[in-house]
Amino acid sequence: MDLRAEVRHFIAENFLLTSGPIDLADAESLTSRGILDSTGALELVAHLEARYGIAVTDEELHPDNLDSVERIAAFIERKRA
Amino acid sequence: MCGIAGALITEGARTRPDLDRMIRTLRHRGPDGYRVLDLPGCGLAHARLSIIDLATGAQPIANEDETLWTVLNGEIFNYLELREELEALGHRFRTRSDTEVIVHAYEAFGDRFVERLVGQFAIGLWDERRRRLVLARDRVGIRPLFFARTQGWLLFASEVKAILAVAPELAHLDDRGLAQVFTFWGTVGERTVFAGVRSLPAGHRLVAEGTQERLQQYWDWRFPETTNSAATSLEEAAEQVRALLADAVRLQLRADVPVGAYLSGGLDSSGIAALAKQQTRRLRTFSVTFDEAEYDESEFQHRMVEALGVEHSAIRCSESDIGQVFPALIWHTETPILRTAPAPLLWLAKHVHDSGFKVVLTGEGADEVFGGYDLFKEGKIRRFWAKQPNSAWRPLLFSRLYPYLARSPVAHRHFARTFFGQRLEEVDHPFYAHLTRWTTTRGLFKLLSPDWLAQLSRAAPEADLERLLPPAFSRWNALARDQYVEVKTLLEGYLLCSQGDRVALAHSVEGRVPFLDHRLIEFVNGLDPRFKLRGLREKRLLRRALVNDLPASILGRVKQPYRAPDSRCFFRNGEPLPYVRELLSATNVRRSGYFRAEGVERLLEKCRDGRALGAGDNMAFVGVVSTLLLHEQFLSGRITETSPVNA
């Protein structure tokens, strides 16, 4: 599974509570869709740290890094680089 | 305080056992006696909690020639003054009860009699001569009243269960009612979560003659279109507020049984307790405390107990207590709820009852009247930011909100900026301050089954609410608009019922709310909004009004809303409580039909593993559990006369 698919899978299971297909474009804002708020972001960060072995600083807890599937995937790649 | 029920017969006949069955479902509201009056064309029933005129106050009560009969749930606080006025007009009274003023006031003032009442009431009145039934409810909706037309009857009762007991065909959940609860936390206007059962809205009366009916609003929260800040100084206004509040407390201490008070340790309940103590020699106060510091306010409760010199007792409420009492709670709320906060108050009411008290004063209503909620500040900051959307500094003001939340939506400023920046430019939207909150609550929709999702998606709760707005609404100041929306959703639809009347009356306790005396509301609504919310300091006027009544440590407290732990309460040692496991089993979820079994299972796992951090998931979990409990208790069989679950 590529990184974007993995992120989509996590969002589907953890936030939308489904294993089925989800109607969400990779570039779509998770906040605007009501999927992510600041406590949701904490759930997301906990998952990224556990799953990908990265550490997310307070300053990185930013919508620019975490507010869409493609931003999250790019963020993981940058952190792992 | 009591339970009332009745039936207007529009065709066919009705049997006395129907009225008996209705009133017996309300035993918890009035355990001190029952009376049923079966007249041609109308029946009235009453379950009594004796508070005023213990000797002769039994209901229904009639006028001199027994052509008018009434039942009352609640209190008419100005009954002594009204009685004097009515006696001067030639009316003769048989009892010392507050209920008796109703029939004479109706004779004297017609349908407008209700406008003369100061109190918290739900009334059924049968005018035998004119063959008409009048139902009326207090101005702000403190006491409930439901009605439904079915089988040639117009049935009415203090609680829906009394109606369903004789009209089981109405036991179906209403998609629009559910959509409202899953958005606003409660229903609005006439709607309930039961299809065909209507709520008489606050400040309304219904006149029914045969199959004809007229629903009329006689009072509402109104705000001026302009305020003249020079007209009244803050000092003068504070003086007047204190006088009005002291008078409300004076009237609400009227009872032939001792009156106690709830004491949370916050400004509002402390203010009421302080004013009550000044007017009565002895005052008994009651509190709930929590194991967790995030919810617990016992330190401030102790300070007030010491300052007032009152006799006090507290019950400690654990997560496990909340989970255990929750099924009984839903039997009383008769609606899904999204928070567990009413559960500790159900325990507290039991403690009050066991302590021999029937009446308590509470601090409810102050946040709505005086602008106390963080939501009002949120709206103010968003409007301020919207004037300069590129400002880096303005959204930083959000960091001053929600200091009491362990996981606050403002904890991470970048996300707070994105979250609160949604729909920032829509400053003229009638629900501007509430939109982001409602979006979070509606997260529950993702768990709905395809059928119910389709139905609830067609329901338009915001449009339902918009239809209820008064014509002048858009011309009021922003705080007034936010206050009005808060009153019509959270106060009327949740706080006064699920967290107020229902949990107290579950244990035969009457809650009285001096802050919702309509004379006080009318005065404060007319004032400059800066007297309420000055900058980001809430309830400025109330603090000034109580400056000589409360210790500085209480006066200076930042608002801490009353809350209780949520999804954690339904688990013990990492496993769901037995009833929760059964209720949320895939079989049961599919059988009831409202939710997706897979989604419910995933949410259950998430909550069990402690991964549900946000308000959205916690509300969704409590909403699912309560909806399924409601289904089990009200839709799966005939309503019995007593609670199927132990409180």
Side-chain angles (χ1 to χ4, degrees):
Chain A
M1 210 186 308
D2 71 16
L3 209 44
R4 286 188 187 192
E6 281 183 19
V7 171
R8 288 175 67 80
H9 182 71
F10 172 73
I11 288 168
E13 288 204 332
N14 188 72
F15 293 116
L16 299 172
L17 304 169
T18 181
S19 56
I22 55 170
D23 166 31
L24 177 72
D26 282 355
E28 221 173 331
S29 160
L30 300 176
T31 313
S32 303
R33 282 288 303 270
I35 295 171
L36 206 62
D37 58 16
S38 61
T39 50
L42 293 183
E43 293 177 20
L44 176 62
V45 166
H47 170 74
L48 298 183
E49 292 186 334
R51 171 76 180 77
Y52 301 104
I54 58 177
V56 181
T57 66
D58 282 354
E59 273 311 301
E60 288 168 334
L61 210 110
H62 195 292
D64 286 351
N65 295 327
L66 302 171
D67 197 28
S68 70
V69 171
E70 64 183 22
R71 286 182 190 184
I72 297 167
F75 177 64
I76 297 168
E77 276 174 354
R78 280 202 308 279
K79 292 291 286 186
R80 290 203 302 197
Chain B
M1 181 54 55
C2 311
I4 62 173
L8 174 72
I9 318 301
T10 55
E11 61 177 75
R14 183 207 59 257
T15 58
R16 161 76 188 248
D18 289 325
L19 288 167
D20 287 338
R21 198 177 313 136
M22 288 180 82
I23 202 63
R24 280 201 297 261
T25 64
L26 304 179
R27 182 192 303 259
H28 49 279
R29 297 182 73 91
D32 296 336
Y34 303 96
R35 272 178 58 180
V36 171
L37 180 73
D38 202 4
L39 296 166
C42 187
L44 300 174
H46 186 256
R48 184 169 193 221
L49 181 64
S50 311
I51 289 173
I52 290 178
D53 189 6
L54 309 186
T56 61
Q59 301 181 35
I61 279 182
N63 63 341
E64 295 92 334
D65 61 2
E66 300 193 344
T67 55
L68 295 172
W69 288 90
T70 193
V71 282
L72 162 70
N73 165 209
E75 308 292 341
I76 312 300
F77 294 125
N78 65 334
Y79 74 105
L80 295 174
E81 293 78 5
L82 262 178
R83 178 181 173 130
E84 202 173 310
E85 184 182 346
L86 290 162
E87 280 177 333
L89 292 171
H91 294 269
R92 294 189 318 280
F93 284 72
R94 293 196 191 95
T95 73
R96 291 194 307 109
S97 140
D98 58 333
T99 311
E100 198 176 359
V101 301
I102 294 169
V103 284
H104 298 293
Y106 175 78
E107 287 179 307
F109 312 120
D111 291 347
R112 299 192 68 172
F113 78 95
V114 66
E115 294 162 45
R116 306 295 298 268
L117 310 179
V118 177
Q120 45 190 55
F121 49 82
I123 294 168
L125 181 146
W126 171 238
D127 180 340
E128 195 164 28
R129 274 202 201 113
R130 298 172 67 189
R131 315 287 298 166
R132 69 206 298 260
L133 175 73
V134 180
L135 302 179
R137 196 161 167 225
D138 64 66
R139 294 169 180 81
V140 288
I142 299 164
R143 301 276 80 98
L145 191 55
F146 299 95
F147 64 104
R149 282 193 183 269
T150 183
Q151 306 171 27
W153 296 335
L154 190 165
L155 299 168
F156 68 91
S158 300
E159 297 186 15
V160 177
K161 55 180 70 70
I163 294 174
L164 299 183
V166 294
E169 68 277 10
L170 299 176
H172 298 286
L173 292 190
D174 181 80
D175 50 358
R176 284 172 67 181
L178 281 182
Q180 290 178 359
V181 173
F182 296 163
T183 304
F184 308 135
W185 289 20
T187 52
V188 296
E190 289 178 58
R191 194 154 297 271
T192 73
V193 295
F194 293 96
V197 179
R198 295 151 72 189
S199 168
L200 184 64
H204 281 67
R205 67 180 156 245
L206 180 91
V207 179
E209 296 176 68
T211 56
Q212 304 292 310
E213 64 185 47
R214 273 198 331 276
L215 182 68
Q216 300 163 317
Q217 186 173 34
Y218 68 90
W219 191 89
D220 197 9
W221 295 64
R222 289 283 185 258
F223 296 85
E225 292 177 26
T226 54
T227 48
N228 180 357
S229 55
T232 313
S233 70
L234 181 68
E235 284 309 322
E236 288 164 346
E239 203 173 300
Q240 183 69 6
V241 162
R242 193 188 175 289
L244 284 165
L245 191 57
D247 193 58
V249 170
R250 177 184 69 83
L251 286 181
Q252 298 198 20
L253 284 169
R254 284 181 174 171
D256 294 332
V257 295
V259 177
Y262 281 168
L263 190 60
S264 75
L267 175 69
D268 312 337
S269 64
S270 297
I272 296 299
L275 293 177
K277 183 65 170 60
Q278 290 164 19
Q279 298 187 36
T280 182
R281 262 189 319 115
R282 289 182 63 189
L283 183 70
R284 173 75 185 271
T285 53
F286 302 91
S287 296
V288 62
T289 64
F290 293 97
D291 295 333
E292 277 188 75
E294 187 184 351
Y295 308 106
D296 189 56
E297 297 183 76
S298 44
E299 180 196 336
F300 294 98
Q301 291 163 6
H302 290 145
R303 282 190 207 171
M304 273 311 294
V305 167
E306 211 161 282
L308 292 177
V310 290
E311 190 186 337
H312 181 74
S313 59
I315 56 153
R316 194 159 196 84
C317 191
S318 67
E319 290 178 3
S320 143
D321 294 333
I322 292 172
Q324 185 193 327
V325 82
F326 200 74
L329 173 66
I330 300 306
W331 172 251
H332 290 289
T333 63
E334 301 181 322
T335 175
I337 53 175
L338 303 178
R339 282 284 160 94
T340 61
L345 294 177
L346 186 70
W347 275 92
L348 184 58
K350 182 172 190 307
H351 174 61
V352 171
H353 175 84
D354 293 345
S355 305
F357 278 74
K358 292 178 172 180
V359 184
V360 284
L361 303 177
T362 86
E364 202 67 78
D367 289 315
E368 289 78 3
V369 177
F370 292 96
Y373 289 122
D374 266 17
L375 179 88
F376 300 141
K377 299 180 193 172
E378 193 183 304
K380 191 169 186 175
I381 297 173
R382 290 183 72 224
R383 290 181 176 100
F384 178 58
W385 179 20
K387 289 179 184 167
Q388 296 288 341
N390 296 323
S391 164
W393 171 76
R394 294 185 185 207
L396 294 180
L397 290 168
F398 289 119
S399 66
R400 292 173 57 184
L401 305 185
Y402 307 106
Y404 48 85
L405 287 180
R407 293 198 178 90
S408 159
V410 301
H412 305 284
R413 62 189 167 93
H414 301 302
F415 265 97
R417 186 186 170 105
T418 307
F419 182 68
F420 291 114
Q422 295 177 80
R423 304 176 73 172
L424 186 69
E425 67 290 356
E426 297 179 40
V427 286
D428 293 325
H429 195 292
F431 310 134
Y432 186 68
H434 289 78
L435 289 171
T436 48
R437 176 164 301 188
W438 292 344
T439 302
T440 305
T441 308
R442 282 168 70 96
L444 178 50
F445 276 42
K446 71 191 172 198
L447 288 166
L448 291 169
S449 64
D451 283 355
W452 280 87
L453 178 61
Q455 288 184 62
L456 267 67
S457 300
R458 279 195 299 274
E462 288 177 19
D464 290 342
L465 182 58
E466 203 162 347
R467 277 192 291 277
L468 299 176
L469 300 179
F473 177 88
S474 62
R475 297 190 294 275
W476 296 343
N477 66 69
L479 177 61
R481 296 199 298 270
D482 297 346
Q483 282 178 271
Y484 189 85
V485 173
E486 190 69 4
V487 162
K488 292 293 155 182
T489 53
L490 202 77
L491 182 70
E492 290 183 7
Y494 173 74
L495 292 174
L496 289 178
C497 42
S498 292
Q499 199 168 295
D501 174 90
R502 303 316 187 77
V503 284
L505 265 297
H507 291 292
S508 317
V509 172
E510 172 179 299
R512 294 183 175 181
V513 277
F515 282 117
L516 293 178
D517 182 305
H518 73 277
R519 300 166 303 168
L520 178 66
I521 295 173
E522 287 171 355
F523 176 73
V524 178
N525 283 3
L527 298 172
D528 187 327
R530 285 172 300 181
F531 286 4
K532 300 169 208 171
L533 193 54
R534 174 78 172 181
L536 293 180
R537 183 61 163 157
E538 79 282 3
K539 291 194 288 201
R540 180 182 181 219
L541 177 61
L542 183 61
R543 288 177 207 279
R544 188 66 67 96
L546 296 174
V547 71
N548 295 319
D549 301 296
L550 293 174
S553 60
I554 300 289
L555 275 174
R557 275 195 80 187
V558 173
K559 160 108 193 126
Q560 172 164 352
Y562 162 74
R563 295 177 309 123
D566 287 312
S567 67
R568 291 196 310 270
C569 303
F570 298 92
F571 298 86
R572 191 173 303 156
N573 302 325
E575 289 303 322
L577 298 176
Y579 82 84
V580 175
R581 182 198 306 276
E582 197 175 316
L583 208 58
L584 301 192
S585 70
T587 314
N588 191 53
V589 171
R590 285 198 190 96
R591 192 189 312 132
S592 55
Y594 308 105
F595 302 110
R596 289 187 297 113
E598 186 214 350
V600 171
E601 192 184 337
R602 287 189 184 281
L603 182 60
L604 179 74
E605 285 170 7
K606 196 172 172 183
C607 293
R608 184 192 60 200
D609 300 346
R611 289 182 288 115
L613 304 180
D617 280 338
N618 277 280
M619 285 193 286
F621 189 81
V622 178
V624 169
V625 172
S626 57
T627 303
L628 295 176
L629 281 169
L630 189 76
H631 178 86
E632 184 178 278
Q633 295 175 2
F634 288 83
L635 278 72
S636 300
R638 197 170 181 86
I639 300 291
T640 54
E641 289 164 6
T642 52
S643 163
V645 279
N646 294 321

